[in-house]
Amino acid sequence: MMGLRDFVKDYFLGFWDYETPKVMVVKNKTLGVIYRGVQFLVITYFIWYVFISEKAYQESETRPESSVYTLMKGTAVHGDDILDTVEYVRPSEGGDVISTILRREVTYDQKQGTCAEHFMVANANCTRDSDCVQGEVDFDGHGRRTGRCVQYYNHTFKTCEIQTWCPIERYAVVREQALVEAINFTVFIRNSIHFPGFKVLRGNIKDISNPKEMRRFLNKCHYDKETEPYCPNFRLGYIAAQAREDFSELCKTGGVIGVFINWNCNLDLDYSYCQPTYSFRRLDLRKDQASSGYYYRFAKYYSREGVESRTLIKAYGIRLDVIVHGHAGKFSPIPTIISTVTAMTSVGICTIICDWIMLTFIDKNEVYSDRKFDEVIKEPTVPKAPELGFINSYGSNHSDLSDGVQL
């Protein structure tokens, strides 16, 4: 108990001690090189990375308000048909997602009725009616089973009969040629971005006051990073090439490509320098062939002889996802002061590192540590003894004690 009490007492009394750095010049070249080297690295980090690269002296805004409008342009000849944007573009109203059909697989003249299930569906092959369970629905199949075993269309083997849209897609599908002319289709992308904190509104289209000149510019220009950075028209072939994709391969399987619009604006400069940069990257996974690519189904319904019919279309195409990122910064005294104080404080780490190296690896005989750490204790003062003052007179010596004050 006494040891614990002494420990608590010493800790309590030591808590109120004051520590102050002691200046000691160490004539050691190795330690001096390390000290200046660490100083150089810390100062370089803050000047180059923190202030120049990251612009820590600026107040920043990273959540701007943005709007995107897209429009596909182009006309294609497919056999005897002329296809326009209504035929191959989804959705037609535009937005931050737009797709175009590159290849179609069509199943014509389907009607509600009964027909044979596809032979590759699990448990679809049969030899008699008892092999087929009436009312059973296989979610990997095409419909509900009737309980009958029927001939598989014009083949000799049999499969279970189902109630569905007949004939089934996997049997009667017609695969059309790819729409290779789509490589020259253009996508119009209009983007407006607003930084409410700085009250700055910018757009990705060249500012032309004359409406006729604006229409002429938009009808003729194609985006180029160097010559036409403010043109909002992008060729599909250009987008695929920038995403490092083979357009002919995309026609077969389809794909999802991200169009990234990046606004990195330094508002300390003129606002005209606040321009977007574009990058393109495929978003769907290509490693998994079963789920890669992009396709969807839709149907065109009609009535023939009073019977509802449809044409089922499986469309492969390119889907463009327009993704906008924005960052704006402007000088502000508060982040400047904080970053400056942080930089000045961080320079002190050089002393800590060098002290540790000196006391751990260099101070073998504890020469530096004896001089580095001193303990100063205030001791009670001892009264001084009275001093005698002497007065020299003509012909005689006289001494006097005047309360310790020299006469």
Side-chain angles (χ1 to χ4, degrees):
M1 290 296 294
M2 292 296 296
L4 178 60
R5 183 180 302 173
D6 293 339
F7 172 78
V8 173
K9 179 180 179 181
D10 293 341
Y11 178 81
F12 177 78
L13 295 176
F15 178 78
W16 304 106
D17 291 343
Y18 169 69
E19 297 178 359
T20 182
K22 179 181 180 181
V23 178
M24 182 174 66
V25 180
V26 179
K27 300 294 184 178
N28 187 300
K29 291 185 177 179
T30 303
L31 196 62
V33 170
I34 296 174
Y35 178 67
R36 296 306 179 189
V38 175
Q39 267 189 339
F40 175 77
L41 292 176
V42 172
I43 294 173
T44 302
Y45 166 78
F46 275 95
I47 292 177
W48 176 78
Y49 180 76
V50 175
F51 285 96
I52 297 179
S53 179
E54 294 297 314
K55 295 180 175 60
Y57 58 88
Q58 291 184 334
E59 179 184 358
S60 61
E61 185 174 358
T62 58
R63 292 186 177 182
E65 301 167 353
S66 174
S67 67
V68 175
Y69 172 77
T70 55
L71 179 67
M72 188 80 68
K73 299 178 182 179
T75 302
V77 179
H78 191 267
D80 296 332
D81 299 328
I82 304 297
L83 302 180
D84 57 12
T85 56
V86 177
E87 291 290 327
Y88 57 77
V89 176
R90 299 288 189 279
S92 58
E93 70 273 9
D96 56 359
V97 176
I98 190 171
S99 66
T100 179
I101 299 174
L102 300 179
R103 187 173 66 85
R104 303 191 306 178
E105 295 181 356
V106 185
T107 306
Y108 295 96
D109 198 22
Q110 284 187 320
K111 302 180 181 65
Q112 283 285 346
T114 58
C115 52
E117 177 64 282
H118 195 269
F119 63 90
M120 293 187 66
V121 176
N123 302 321
N125 294 275
C126 62
T127 55
R128 54 185 180 272
D129 292 345
S130 59
D131 295 333
C132 303
V133 180
Q134 184 178 4
E136 184 181 36
V137 177
D138 190 332
F139 291 101
D140 292 327
H142 296 84
R144 182 176 59 186
R145 297 185 179 180
T146 63
R148 295 178 58 204
C149 182
V150 298
Q151 183 179 354
Y152 184 75
Y153 300 98
N154 296 327
H155 297 76
T156 57
F157 59 89
K158 294 182 178 182
T159 60
C160 293
E161 185 183 59
I162 57 173
Q163 180 183 359
T164 186
W165 288 93
C166 296
I168 59 175
E169 179 188 21
R170 295 176 70 176
Y171 169 75
V173 65
V174 176
R175 292 175 175 84
E176 297 181 350
Q177 294 294 323
L179 198 65
V180 293
E181 296 178 2
I183 194 172
N184 294 316
F185 290 173
T186 59
V187 184
F188 172 81
I189 303 176
R190 184 178 65 200
N191 174 225
S192 299
I193 193 166
H194 179 221
F195 296 98
F198 301 117
K199 298 180 180 180
V200 174
L201 177 64
R202 299 292 296 166
N204 68 328
I205 302 178
K206 187 175 182 180
D207 188 12
I208 301 177
S209 58
N210 191 317
K212 291 183 179 180
E213 293 183 5
M214 174 65 78
R215 287 193 295 268
R216 189 181 302 113
F217 169 73
L218 294 178
N219 289 332
K220 292 184 178 181
C221 76
H222 287 88
Y223 173 81
D224 184 89
K225 184 178 180 180
E226 301 297 332
T227 60
E228 292 289 356
Y230 271 101
C231 178
N233 297 322
F234 300 82
R235 289 177 57 252
L236 283 184
Y238 174 84
I239 293 176
Q242 292 296 310
R244 299 181 180 180
E245 294 295 328
D246 185 1
F247 192 83
S248 60
E249 189 66 26
L250 289 173
C251 289
K252 297 178 182 178
T253 62
V256 181
I257 296 179
V259 180
F260 297 89
I261 305 178
N262 301 291
W263 296 83
N264 191 4
C265 299
N266 183 3
L267 300 181
D268 292 330
L269 306 176
D270 189 85
Y271 291 170
S272 61
Y273 291 98
C274 182
Q275 299 180 3
T277 58
Y278 300 88
S279 59
F280 309 88
R281 180 169 55 87
R282 185 163 179 176
L283 301 180
D284 60 307
L285 297 176
R286 287 171 289 178
K287 296 181 180 180
D288 186 3
Q289 295 297 326
S291 60
S292 64
Y294 173 73
Y295 62 88
Y296 58 93
R297 289 178 172 86
F298 64 96
K300 295 181 179 180
Y301 294 89
Y302 56 93
S303 178
R304 175 177 294 178
E305 298 179 356
V307 178
E308 184 183 24
S309 304
R310 75 176 187 182
T311 297
L312 179 64
I313 301 174
K314 182 179 182 181
Y316 292 84
I318 294 180
R319 193 183 83 177
L320 302 178
D321 291 4
V322 183
I323 303 171
V324 182
H325 297 291
H327 177 275
K330 194 172 185 179
F331 173 79
S332 178
I334 296 178
T336 302
I337 294 173
I338 294 175
S339 300
T340 303
V341 172
T342 304
M344 296 174 64
T345 305
S346 299
V347 175
I349 196 175
C350 307
T351 304
I352 297 175
I353 294 175
C354 290
D355 283 351
W356 177 75
I357 294 175
M358 178 183 68
L359 298 176
T360 305
F361 301 102
I362 299 178
D363 191 19
K364 299 298 184 181
N365 299 321
E366 298 185 355
V367 176
Y368 297 129
S369 59
D370 291 342
R371 295 178 178 271
K372 177 69 176 176
F373 303 104
D374 288 337
E375 184 176 359
V376 179
I377 302 175
K378 184 178 181 181
E379 298 180 354
T381 57
V382 179
K384 295 182 180 179
E387 297 181 359
L388 293 176
F390 299 93
I391 300 177
N392 294 326
S393 301
Y394 294 103
S396 65
N397 292 329
H398 177 74
S399 64
D400 190 11
L401 182 64
S402 302
D403 296 329
V405 179
Q406 190 173 0
L407 298 175

